[in-house]
Amino acid sequence: MTVLDEIAVTGIRAYGHHGVYPDERREGQEFVADVVLYLSTAAAARSDDVTDTVHYGELAEQVAAILAGDPVDLLETLAARIADAVLGHALVERVRVTVHKPAAPIPVPFGDVTVTITRGRTQ
């Protein structure tokens, strides 16, 4: 059994136009994503070469582009798009994605709205 390590990038922010209401689509708001990758980092530790791992700076840019990209209605869909992109990296076996919508249109005081999904190569 392969032991999986974790690489986490949290608080990735981008302005997007996601939501089910027309004003959310029109005006947009900030979305935040936390991404945890599960992979073996053993080869990178041995070689000390970034090409043997997932470059987290490039990953953050990829996630931000999805957050700012084509609008969707649901956070679940947005999280799935991010998970699919992360699983496109050959080394990643599993990923956990949390998407935050801190300015969701909720009529009562609240701190944050999040959707968290976990996906793997076999899901």
Side-chain angles (χ1 to χ4, degrees):
M1 178 178 178
T2 303
V3 175
L4 296 179
D5 306 311
E6 295 180 17
I7 295 175
V9 183
T10 61
I12 302 166
R13 298 179 188 293
Y15 200 84
H17 294 267
H18 312 288
V20 296
Y21 299 116
D23 58 325
E24 291 181 289
R25 293 290 185 106
R26 185 178 53 255
E27 297 168 19
Q29 61 188 282
E30 184 177 64
F31 290 83
V32 182
D34 304 325
V35 181
V36 181
L37 291 62
Y38 298 89
L39 68 160
S40 173
T41 62
R46 283 191 301 276
S47 70
D48 198 32
D49 187 338
V50 71
T51 62
D52 289 330
T53 189
V54 175
H55 189 299
Y56 50 79
E58 293 173 0
L59 176 82
E61 290 177 358
Q62 185 179 24
V63 171
I66 294 167
L67 291 173
D70 292 335
V72 298
D73 288 344
L74 301 178
L75 294 179
E76 292 85 345
T77 306
L78 191 56
R81 285 185 178 179
I82 293 168
D84 289 344
V86 173
L87 288 170
H89 295 269
L91 294 174
V92 178
E93 293 295 323
R94 195 168 72 240
V95 62
R96 186 176 71 238
V97 177
T98 300
V99 176
H100 303 256
K101 189 174 181 178
I106 297 174
V108 298
F110 73 100
D112 195 6
V113 172
T114 66
V115 170
T116 300
I117 65 169
T118 302
R119 298 289 185 270
R121 296 221 166 263
T122 59
Q123 293 178 313

